[in-house]
Amino acid sequence: MDWLLEPAGTGGKLAVMLVAILLFVVVMGLILFLVDRPRRVPGWVVALAFAGPAIVMLAFGLLYPGLRTIRDSFYNRTGSAFVGLDNYVTAFTRDEFQIVLRNTAIWVIVVPLVSTFLGLVYAVVVDRSRFEKFAKTLIFLPMAISMVGAGIIWKFMYEYKPASQPQIGLFNQVLVWLGLEPQQFLLSAPANTFFLILVMIWIQAGFAMTILAAAIRAIPDDIVEAARLDGVGGMRMFRYITVPSIRPALVVVLTTIAIGTLKVFDIVRTMTGGRFETSVVANEFYTQALRQGEQGLGAALAVILFVLVIPIIVYNVRQLKQAEEIR
């Protein structure tokens, strides 16, 4: 069995892949054979046959690691001694971790609000315009780029060279054209955090625009026409008709972007590695657990991140239920 767990060379890895594919085919074939017998099969057997493997894999891939992480957060760096809440006390009291929590709070507040606002304004401005398709495609394109790719692109845009050398970073080249000194955008705290946040806003604004544009199109025409007959237009139409009508979509967009922002890792890791006071919780628990061997502290930070996500999910679910009840 060792060759399955630790395959040697390309041939061994290819063999393991073939075994995994064959095992999947056999298991699925067996399930289909059992549920498709001529005799009548109870509904719960069919449901269990199809949902059972997924439930088992979710339990093994999500539930068990989650419980194990919670358990490790109460133990020391090697997991050999119970330390109680010491790891959580460290995470909330040590100066470097307070900076991490501060940065995470800034990300979660700024990114959803700014991304949603820009997406909403953009959706309203380009709605039913001559260049609507092109304009929407333009702002949605960053969504097709991975977080790592976006981080690399923007790292080049922020690139710094001394004033005596040619600039390869777009922003510093613009500063030089304006007669100003080039700046090290990613080194100066806390401004560097906002320069990283700009990358996330660039990506998420397209997502917000797509969802909100669809919600705006779904506003009944009779509501809009009635408002126009009453003399409502311009900003008043936007404030009193458009925004209240798409409130459920706004909630979904805000909470979805907030959850994604809480988990932000790629941008920070790619652009600064968490240095220069730019680290966030997702990056810090990776650093502590896998780079510095502080498994207990890393697990505590992961649990903190999980706890921060729960209220957002609960609020989102409640809002969706209320919207369904209204309908």
Side-chain angles (χ1 to χ4, degrees):
M1 292 295 293
D2 291 342
W3 68 275
L4 280 173
L5 299 176
E6 297 181 2
T10 305
K13 294 178 180 179
L14 181 61
V16 171
M17 182 185 70
L18 293 176
V19 170
I21 295 174
L22 181 62
L23 183 62
F24 173 79
V25 172
V26 170
V27 171
M28 290 303 301
L30 181 61
I31 292 174
L32 292 173
F33 174 76
L34 292 176
V35 301
D36 197 34
R37 298 296 295 275
R39 56 186 174 80
R40 181 173 178 81
V41 179
W44 67 269
V45 174
V46 177
L48 182 62
F50 284 100
I55 293 174
V56 171
M57 287 188 287
L58 284 173
F60 182 75
L62 291 178
L63 183 59
Y64 171 73
L67 295 176
R68 182 63 184 271
T69 300
I70 294 173
R71 179 261 181 196
D72 290 346
S73 68
F74 297 105
Y75 283 76
N76 64 352
R77 61 179 298 163
T78 60
S80 58
F82 182 78
V83 295
L85 297 175
D86 287 358
N87 291 321
Y88 292 95
V89 172
T90 300
F92 283 104
T93 58
R94 193 179 294 178
D95 291 343
E96 56 265 36
F97 294 124
Q98 288 183 349
I99 294 175
V100 170
L101 295 174
R102 179 204 67 188
N103 290 342
T104 303
I106 293 174
W107 275 80
V108 174
I109 293 172
V110 174
V111 173
L113 292 178
V114 176
S115 299
T116 304
F117 175 77
L118 292 178
L120 176 59
V121 172
Y122 198 89
V124 172
V125 170
V126 304
D127 185 45
R128 294 183 174 88
S129 65
R130 290 179 57 190
F131 305 102
E132 178 182 2
K133 293 182 179 179
F134 174 75
K136 288 183 177 180
T137 301
L138 195 63
I139 193 175
F140 187 78
L141 279 177
M143 285 290 296
I145 303 174
S146 67
M147 294 288 188
V148 173
I152 293 173
I153 291 171
W154 280 78
K155 189 173 182 179
F156 277 113
M157 294 177 68
Y158 289 138
E159 185 69 27
Y160 166 83
K161 294 291 183 182
S164 59
Q165 299 181 16
Q167 299 296 323
I168 63 174
L170 175 62
F171 293 130
N172 275 320
Q173 183 61 65
V174 171
L175 292 179
V176 171
W177 284 338
L178 296 175
L180 302 175
E181 289 292 320
Q183 302 294 318
Q184 297 187 6
F185 293 102
L186 299 180
L187 299 187
S188 302
N192 49 6
T193 294
F194 291 94
F195 289 122
L196 297 183
I197 285 174
L198 184 60
V199 182
M200 191 70 167
I201 294 173
W202 178 66
I203 295 173
Q204 295 296 338
F207 165 76
M209 180 277 302
T210 303
I211 303 300
L212 297 177
I216 291 172
R217 283 295 184 92
I219 299 176
D221 292 336
D222 54 350
I223 295 179
V224 177
E225 291 300 327
R228 286 175 178 168
L229 290 174
D230 289 338
V232 178
M235 286 300 299
R236 293 180 63 199
M237 175 72 76
F238 176 78
R239 179 178 177 183
Y240 295 109
I241 302 299
T242 303
V243 173
S245 298
I246 64 171
R247 184 177 179 277
L250 283 171
V251 172
V252 170
V253 170
L254 281 168
T255 53
T256 302
I257 296 178
I259 292 172
T261 304
L262 273 172
K263 300 183 296 180
V264 66
F265 168 81
D266 315 67
I267 294 174
V268 175
R269 198 75 201 173
T270 302
M271 298 185 69
T272 64
R275 301 184 299 274
F276 318 118
E277 298 185 10
T278 59
S279 188
V280 291
V281 172
N283 177 75
E284 195 62 29
F285 80 69
Y286 167 83
T287 301
Q288 294 297 324
L290 300 181
R291 293 288 183 177
Q292 300 185 13
E294 293 282 354
Q295 296 183 12
L297 184 56
L301 290 168
V303 173
I304 292 172
L305 183 62
F306 176 71
V307 171
L308 291 175
V309 170
I310 290 177
I312 300 176
I313 296 176
V314 171
Y315 176 76
N316 198 1
V317 171
R318 290 183 60 185
Q319 291 299 314
L320 289 176
K321 286 183 177 180
Q322 290 178 5
E324 290 295 329
E325 291 174 357
I326 293 174
R327 292 177 185 175

